[in-house]
Amino acid sequence: MNSDSNKMLRRVPGLSILCALPFLLCLAGCDSTPPPIPLTQLNPQQARGHQVYQAHCAQCHYDRVSDPLHGPPLRGVFKKQYLPSGAPANDERVTATVLHGRNLMPAQPNTDPQDLDDVLAYLHTL
């Protein structure tokens, strides 16, 4: 900006805010979570995890969109530092939530360990 533009912004304090508003609105509307890996690019374990997700998780959680269903969305669950509960977003905490439940999510104590490993591998692709 030249000195005349700077003088204008100083004289009209709201103008600088007005100029920044479109940029701020764009940032607010942008989804900062990277897109999930396409299903066609999953490795065999991740693909099995997708099948486990479809059979046991999809009725309550969306996986490829950021909207909640009955429970929080799972898109980007491991791309954030914390889970919606505030717990660290790591395999240990997600495993504990699956096995022991949390709030409205029922415990799934009889989950096959291989199924759990596979669904965790799938969740990492989201």
Side-chain angles (χ1 to χ4, degrees), residues 72-92:
L74 298 178
R75 180 175 177 205
V77 68
F78 286 117
K79 293 183 173 113
K80 299 172 185 155
Q81 188 173 2
Y82 298 102
L83 300 171
S85 67
N90 58 38
D91 287 359
E92 180 182 338

Side-chain angles (χ1 to χ4, degrees), residues 60-61 69-72 85 97-98 100-108:
C60 294
H61 302 276
L69 184 55
H70 301 294
S85 67
T97 301
V98 170
H100 306 293
R102 177 155 172 49
N103 294 333
L104 296 177
M105 180 165 167
Q108 307 295 317

Side-chain angles (χ1 to χ4, degrees), residues 12-122:
V12 186
L15 188 58
S16 60
I17 293 170
L18 186 61
C19 292
L21 189 59
F23 176 73
L24 294 174
L25 289 174
C26 179
L27 284 179
C30 295
D31 186 359
S32 62
T33 304
I37 294 174
L39 293 174
T40 57
Q41 295 179 15
L42 299 180
N43 68 34
Q45 182 183 27
Q46 294 163 344
R48 284 190 306 274
H50 180 255
Q51 291 172 344
V52 173
Y53 162 83
Q54 289 292 323
H56 301 285
C57 312
Q59 58 268 34
C60 294
H61 302 276
Y62 287 132
D63 60 341
R64 301 193 156 263
V65 297
S66 298
D67 299 322
L69 184 55
H70 301 294
L74 298 178
R75 180 175 177 205
V77 68
F78 286 117
K79 293 183 173 113
K80 299 172 185 155
Q81 188 173 2
Y82 298 102
L83 300 171
S85 67
N90 58 38
D91 287 359
E92 180 182 338
R93 294 306 307 150
V94 172
T95 296
T97 301
V98 170
L99 295 177
H100 306 293
R102 177 155 172 49
N103 294 333
L104 296 177
M105 180 165 167
Q108 307 295 317
N110 299 321
T111 302
D112 178 86
Q114 186 61 57
D115 285 350
L116 187 54
D117 286 346
D118 294 346
V119 81
L120 287 171
Y122 173 64

